[in-house]
Amino acid sequence: MSEWWTYRLSDFLMFSPGTYWRLVELYNRDVWPAQLVALATGLASLWLAGTRRAGAGRVLAALLAAVWLWVGWTFHWQHYATINWAAPYFAAAFGIQAVLLVGLCILSRDAHPPSPGVVTRNLGWLLAVTGVVLYPLAGLLAGHPLSQAEVFGMAPEPTALASLGLLLASGQPPSRALRYLLAIIPTLSLLVGAATLWSMAG
């Protein structure tokens, strides 16, 4: 019997890379043309994060809440759960994030969204544009067909990445404590996704 330290992360993976990417492909096929709505939502979110208009932060939070609820239900609960026993827990976490974003939308009292610092704003834009625009292209560069593209508003990782960036770029929420709270689940989602990709590559 092998000792525990001889195991690699890939030894705990419950599915093959081919199975995962086939799942993504079937998922994209099943929900088409929701990808077009997701792309429009992503572009609208980028605009909302950049505008200083009153109420923009509330609308952005509402859009992100809908996106997190959608990905939690359609990807994690209805599709990913067929190959990963942990997916229902991921779905629950995405639902919690949606509730937190709804809370931000309801409780926000600012007439105008606050202006973040230069470093925070630039980091936010980098993450947001990467999640909405560049992440799907990265899959193509890695050799995956367009049918297996992971898109903001459809797949967990680009959604989490863009959400972090959009909140930073927009200065929402203004409270640092709330900002950290809203960053917990997206950060954990990115770590789980990175570990999964690392395992499949190993």
Side-chain angles (χ1 to χ4, degrees):
M1 180 177 178
S2 301
E3 302 294 344
W4 66 268
W5 57 80
T6 64
Y7 287 96
R8 297 181 301 171
L9 191 58
S10 58
D11 294 323
F12 298 94
L13 198 64
M14 293 168 284
F15 45 83
S16 67
T19 298
Y20 177 81
W21 291 114
R22 177 60 175 165
L23 174 91
V24 173
E25 183 175 346
L26 292 175
Y27 167 64
N28 282 334
R29 184 197 67 185
D30 290 346
V31 300
W32 174 262
Q35 290 86 345
L36 300 180
V37 178
L39 176 60
T41 302
L43 296 177
S45 298
L46 290 173
W47 180 81
L48 287 167
T51 185
R52 298 289 96 195
R53 294 187 179 183
R58 287 187 174 185
V59 177
L60 176 60
L63 284 179
L64 290 180
V67 162
W68 277 80
L69 193 61
W70 168 265
V71 175
W73 174 253
T74 57
F75 181 82
H76 281 309
W77 186 268
Q78 293 190 324
H79 290 81
Y80 198 26
T82 61
I83 64 172
N84 190 341
W85 62 267
Y89 298 100
F90 300 155
F94 270 59
I96 292 171
Q97 183 71 8
V99 170
L100 292 174
L101 288 164
V102 169
L104 173 62
C105 179
I106 294 173
L107 298 176
S108 178
R109 298 178 180 272
D110 292 325
H112 295 275
S115 180
V118 174
V119 174
T120 299
R121 183 174 64 248
N122 289 341
L123 175 61
W125 280 116
L126 175 62
L127 296 178
V129 172
T130 299
V132 174
V133 179
L134 301 181
Y135 201 98
L137 301 179
L140 298 178
L141 294 176
H144 296 290
L146 185 61
S147 60
Q148 295 178 356
E150 294 182 293
V151 180
F152 166 79
M154 304 297 302
E157 285 74 39
T159 299
L161 188 65
S163 295
L164 286 175
L166 289 165
L167 291 173
L168 287 174
S170 65
Q172 293 290 339
S175 166
R176 181 173 296 181
L178 289 177
R179 198 176 303 154
Y180 289 152
L181 178 63
L182 284 168
I184 292 174
I185 292 177
T187 301
L188 290 176
S189 178
L190 288 172
L191 291 175
V192 171
T196 301
L197 292 176
W198 181 273
S199 299
M200 291 193 297

PDB file of all heavy atoms in Angstrom, residues 20 25 46 48 64-65 81 88 124 127 130 148 153 177 179-180 183 189:
ATOM      1  N   TYR A  20     -14.235  15.632 -18.653  1.00  0.00           N
ATOM      2  CA  TYR A  20     -14.564  16.998 -18.243  1.00  0.00           C
ATOM      3  C   TYR A  20     -14.844  17.887 -19.443  1.00  0.00           C
ATOM      4  O   TYR A  20     -15.854  18.596 -19.478  1.00  0.00           O
ATOM      5  CB  TYR A  20     -13.436  17.592 -17.407  1.00  0.00           C
ATOM      6  CG  TYR A  20     -13.692  19.021 -17.021  1.00  0.00           C
ATOM      7  CD1 TYR A  20     -14.519  19.336 -15.950  1.00  0.00           C
ATOM      8  CD2 TYR A  20     -13.123  20.083 -17.742  1.00  0.00           C
ATOM      9  CE1 TYR A  20     -14.784  20.650 -15.606  1.00  0.00           C
ATOM     10  CE2 TYR A  20     -13.376  21.401 -17.404  1.00  0.00           C
ATOM     11  CZ  TYR A  20     -14.203  21.672 -16.332  1.00  0.00           C
ATOM     12  OH  TYR A  20     -14.461  22.986 -16.005  1.00  0.00           O
ATOM     13  N   GLU A  25     -18.505  20.730 -23.335  1.00  0.00           N
ATOM     14  CA  GLU A  25     -19.034  20.817 -24.697  1.00  0.00           C
ATOM     15  C   GLU A  25     -20.538  20.545 -24.736  1.00  0.00           C
ATOM     16  O   GLU A  25     -21.300  21.280 -25.382  1.00  0.00           O
ATOM     17  CB  GLU A  25     -18.293  19.821 -25.589  1.00  0.00           C
ATOM     18  CG  GLU A  25     -18.710  19.870 -27.048  1.00  0.00           C
ATOM     19  CD  GLU A  25     -17.867  18.958 -27.920  1.00  0.00           C
ATOM     20  OE1 GLU A  25     -16.803  18.499 -27.463  1.00  0.00           O
ATOM     21  OE2 GLU A  25     -18.278  18.718 -29.072  1.00  0.00           O
ATOM     22  N   LEU A  46     -19.111  45.415 -17.713  1.00  0.00           N
ATOM     23  CA  LEU A  46     -17.906  46.226 -17.876  1.00  0.00           C
ATOM     24  C   LEU A  46     -18.273  47.707 -17.968  1.00  0.00           C
ATOM     25  O   LEU A  46     -17.601  48.562 -17.385  1.00  0.00           O
ATOM     26  CB  LEU A  46     -17.139  45.787 -19.129  1.00  0.00           C
ATOM     27  CG  LEU A  46     -16.461  44.416 -19.068  1.00  0.00           C
ATOM     28  CD1 LEU A  46     -15.891  44.049 -20.438  1.00  0.00           C
ATOM     29  CD2 LEU A  46     -15.343  44.407 -18.025  1.00  0.00           C
ATOM     30  N   LEU A  48     -20.990  49.153 -16.735  1.00  0.00           N
ATOM     31  CA  LEU A  48     -21.483  49.591 -15.429  1.00  0.00           C
ATOM     32  C   LEU A  48     -20.344  49.830 -14.444  1.00  0.00           C
ATOM     33  O   LEU A  48     -20.399  50.738 -13.612  1.00  0.00           O
ATOM     34  CB  LEU A  48     -22.445  48.547 -14.862  1.00  0.00           C
ATOM     35  CG  LEU A  48     -23.822  48.471 -15.533  1.00  0.00           C
ATOM     36  CD1 LEU A  48     -24.545  47.209 -15.107  1.00  0.00           C
ATOM     37  CD2 LEU A  48     -24.649  49.710 -15.204  1.00  0.00           C
ATOM     38  N   LEU A  64     -24.677  40.534 -11.467  1.00  0.00           N
ATOM     39  CA  LEU A  64     -23.753  39.507 -10.981  1.00  0.00           C
ATOM     40  C   LEU A  64     -24.486  38.456 -10.146  1.00  0.00           C
ATOM     41  O   LEU A  64     -24.159  37.264 -10.215  1.00  0.00           O
ATOM     42  CB  LEU A  64     -22.636  40.153 -10.161  1.00  0.00           C
ATOM     43  CG  LEU A  64     -21.627  40.996 -10.952  1.00  0.00           C
ATOM     44  CD1 LEU A  64     -20.576  41.589 -10.009  1.00  0.00           C
ATOM     45  CD2 LEU A  64     -20.945  40.165 -12.036  1.00  0.00           C
ATOM     46  N   ALA A  65     -25.475  38.878  -9.377  1.00  0.00           N
ATOM     47  CA  ALA A  65     -26.260  37.919  -8.589  1.00  0.00           C
ATOM     48  C   ALA A  65     -26.967  36.931  -9.509  1.00  0.00           C
ATOM     49  O   ALA A  65     -26.970  35.715  -9.260  1.00  0.00           O
ATOM     50  CB  ALA A  65     -27.280  38.654  -7.720  1.00  0.00           C
ATOM     51  N   ALA A  81     -22.482  17.995 -11.565  1.00  0.00           N
ATOM     52  CA  ALA A  81     -22.806  16.999 -10.531  1.00  0.00           C
ATOM     53  C   ALA A  81     -22.853  15.586 -11.079  1.00  0.00           C
ATOM     54  O   ALA A  81     -22.761  14.614 -10.319  1.00  0.00           O
ATOM     55  CB  ALA A  81     -24.136  17.342  -9.874  1.00  0.00           C
ATOM     56  N   PRO A  88     -22.742  19.657  -6.059  1.00  0.00           N
ATOM     57  CA  PRO A  88     -23.868  20.285  -5.359  1.00  0.00           C
ATOM     58  C   PRO A  88     -23.436  21.271  -4.276  1.00  0.00           C
ATOM     59  O   PRO A  88     -24.123  22.281  -4.041  1.00  0.00           O
ATOM     60  CB  PRO A  88     -24.619  19.093  -4.754  1.00  0.00           C
ATOM     61  CG  PRO A  88     -24.298  17.949  -5.668  1.00  0.00           C
ATOM     62  CD  PRO A  88     -22.869  18.192  -6.076  1.00  0.00           C
ATOM     63  N   GLY A 124      -8.620  45.707 -10.948  1.00  0.00           N
ATOM     64  CA  GLY A 124      -9.984  45.285 -11.233  1.00  0.00           C
ATOM     65  C   GLY A 124     -10.255  45.170 -12.718  1.00  0.00           C
ATOM     66  O   GLY A 124     -10.839  44.180 -13.177  1.00  0.00           O
ATOM     67  N   LEU A 127      -8.551  42.019 -14.177  1.00  0.00           N
ATOM     68  CA  LEU A 127      -9.278  40.787 -13.870  1.00  0.00           C
ATOM     69  C   LEU A 127     -10.598  40.718 -14.636  1.00  0.00           C
ATOM     70  O   LEU A 127     -10.978  39.669 -15.154  1.00  0.00           O
ATOM     71  CB  LEU A 127      -9.544  40.704 -12.362  1.00  0.00           C
ATOM     72  CG  LEU A 127      -8.319  40.593 -11.440  1.00  0.00           C
ATOM     73  CD1 LEU A 127      -8.765  40.578  -9.982  1.00  0.00           C
ATOM     74  CD2 LEU A 127      -7.508  39.353 -11.757  1.00  0.00           C
ATOM     75  N   THR A 130     -10.034  40.142 -18.387  1.00  0.00           N
ATOM     76  CA  THR A 130      -9.551  38.775 -18.553  1.00  0.00           C
ATOM     77  C   THR A 130     -10.701  37.778 -18.449  1.00  0.00           C
ATOM     78  O   THR A 130     -10.829  36.863 -19.268  1.00  0.00           O
ATOM     79  CB  THR A 130      -8.481  38.439 -17.501  1.00  0.00           C
ATOM     80  OG1 THR A 130      -7.367  39.325 -17.667  1.00  0.00           O
ATOM     81  CG2 THR A 130      -7.999  36.998 -17.656  1.00  0.00           C
ATOM     82  N   GLN A 148     -15.969  24.079 -26.648  1.00  0.00           N
ATOM     83  CA  GLN A 148     -15.563  23.823 -25.266  1.00  0.00           C
ATOM     84  C   GLN A 148     -15.129  25.099 -24.554  1.00  0.00           C
ATOM     85  O   GLN A 148     -14.537  25.041 -23.472  1.00  0.00           O
ATOM     86  CB  GLN A 148     -14.435  22.796 -25.218  1.00  0.00           C
ATOM     87  CG  GLN A 148     -14.844  21.420 -25.721  1.00  0.00           C
ATOM     88  CD  GLN A 148     -13.707  20.421 -25.722  1.00  0.00           C
ATOM     89  OE1 GLN A 148     -12.554  20.765 -25.408  1.00  0.00           O
ATOM     90  NE2 GLN A 148     -13.990  19.177 -26.070  1.00  0.00           N
ATOM     91  N   GLY A 153     -20.354  34.039 -17.089  1.00  0.00           N
ATOM     92  CA  GLY A 153     -21.794  33.863 -16.989  1.00  0.00           C
ATOM     93  C   GLY A 153     -22.267  32.478 -17.321  1.00  0.00           C
ATOM     94  O   GLY A 153     -23.455  32.176 -17.178  1.00  0.00           O
ATOM     95  N   ALA A 177     -14.640  45.566   4.649  1.00  0.00           N
ATOM     96  CA  ALA A 177     -15.062  44.287   5.228  1.00  0.00           C
ATOM     97  C   ALA A 177     -16.016  43.552   4.290  1.00  0.00           C
ATOM     98  O   ALA A 177     -15.889  42.340   4.077  1.00  0.00           O
ATOM     99  CB  ALA A 177     -15.730  44.525   6.581  1.00  0.00           C
ATOM    100  N   ARG A 179     -16.186  43.997   1.104  1.00  0.00           N
ATOM    101  CA  ARG A 179     -15.423  43.633  -0.088  1.00  0.00           C
ATOM    102  C   ARG A 179     -14.712  42.302   0.123  1.00  0.00           C
ATOM    103  O   ARG A 179     -14.700  41.442  -0.762  1.00  0.00           O
ATOM    104  CB  ARG A 179     -14.409  44.744  -0.393  1.00  0.00           C
ATOM    105  CG  ARG A 179     -13.863  44.726  -1.820  1.00  0.00           C
ATOM    106  CD  ARG A 179     -12.963  45.922  -2.042  1.00  0.00           C
ATOM    107  NE  ARG A 179     -13.667  47.173  -1.767  1.00  0.00           N
ATOM    108  CZ  ARG A 179     -13.068  48.284  -1.391  1.00  0.00           C
ATOM    109  NH1 ARG A 179     -11.763  48.302  -1.207  1.00  0.00           N
ATOM    110  NH2 ARG A 179     -13.768  49.375  -1.177  1.00  0.00           N
ATOM    111  N   TYR A 180     -14.122  42.130   1.315  1.00  0.00           N
ATOM    112  CA  TYR A 180     -13.465  40.865   1.623  1.00  0.00           C
ATOM    113  C   TYR A 180     -14.479  39.722   1.673  1.00  0.00           C
ATOM    114  O   TYR A 180     -14.214  38.618   1.195  1.00  0.00           O
ATOM    115  CB  TYR A 180     -12.727  40.957   2.959  1.00  0.00           C
ATOM    116  CG  TYR A 180     -11.488  41.821   2.927  1.00  0.00           C
ATOM    117  CD1 TYR A 180     -11.034  42.472   4.075  1.00  0.00           C
ATOM    118  CD2 TYR A 180     -10.770  41.990   1.752  1.00  0.00           C
ATOM    119  CE1 TYR A 180      -9.896  43.268   4.056  1.00  0.00           C
ATOM    120  CE2 TYR A 180      -9.633  42.779   1.723  1.00  0.00           C
ATOM    121  CZ  TYR A 180      -9.204  43.416   2.867  1.00  0.00           C
ATOM    122  OH  TYR A 180      -8.078  44.198   2.835  1.00  0.00           O
ATOM    123  N   ALA A 183     -15.416  38.546  -1.668  1.00  0.00           N
ATOM    124  CA  ALA A 183     -14.298  37.955  -2.411  1.00  0.00           C
ATOM    125  C   ALA A 183     -14.023  36.514  -2.010  1.00  0.00           C
ATOM    126  O   ALA A 183     -13.312  35.805  -2.731  1.00  0.00           O
ATOM    127  CB  ALA A 183     -13.033  38.792  -2.205  1.00  0.00           C
ATOM    128  N   SER A 189     -13.532  29.521  -5.482  1.00  0.00           N
ATOM    129  CA  SER A 189     -13.902  28.915  -6.760  1.00  0.00           C
ATOM    130  C   SER A 189     -12.722  28.891  -7.722  1.00  0.00           C
ATOM    131  O   SER A 189     -12.482  27.894  -8.422  1.00  0.00           O
ATOM    132  CB  SER A 189     -15.065  29.692  -7.388  1.00  0.00           C
ATOM    133  OG  SER A 189     -15.419  29.156  -8.648  1.00  0.00           O
TER     134      SER A 189
END
